[in-house]
Amino acid sequence: MISNLEIPDPFQTFVAKKYANAKGYIYDFFTGEWSYKCLTCKEDMSAPSRKIMTKIRLYHTRNECTGGY
Ligand SMILES: [Zn+2]
């Protein structure tokens, strides 16, 4: 079942990286940036790392659109 992983397919690796997140973060393989679209106000945000993306997202939801609460 997972024997295919022994030889990574470039495209599959790309897709895996691009969607390797659980919070709606998208990794842009070409620019090396993370992006995130606020589910509440649909605003697009981007950051150079996933860690910073989380900080930006939390700041945004707490202080800007309040995340719908
Ligand atoms: Zn928002």
Side-chain angles (χ1 to χ4, degrees):
M1 183 176 112
I2 56 170
S3 59
N4 289 344
L5 295 177
E6 288 174 10
I7 306 170
D9 175 73
F11 181 72
Q12 285 189 348
T13 303
F14 166 73
V15 171
K17 282 183 179 174
K18 191 173 175 70
Y19 297 103
N21 62 80
K23 293 176 183 171
Y25 297 177
I26 296 170
Y27 180 68
D28 191 316
F29 187 80
F30 299 105
T31 63
E33 288 204 326
W34 289 85
S35 63
Y36 171 77
K37 186 172 220 173
C38 180
L39 299 176
T40 305
C41 67
K42 311 299 181 192
E43 183 174 317
D44 286 308
M45 289 163 270
S46 64
S49 78
R50 187 171 179 160
K51 202 171 183 178
I52 295 172
M53 187 74 260
T54 298
K55 286 185 180 177
I56 292 173
R57 179 178 62 84
L58 290 175
Y59 179 86
H60 174 80
T61 54
R62 285 174 186 163
N63 300 288
E64 293 178 347
C65 77
T66 67
Y69 293 110

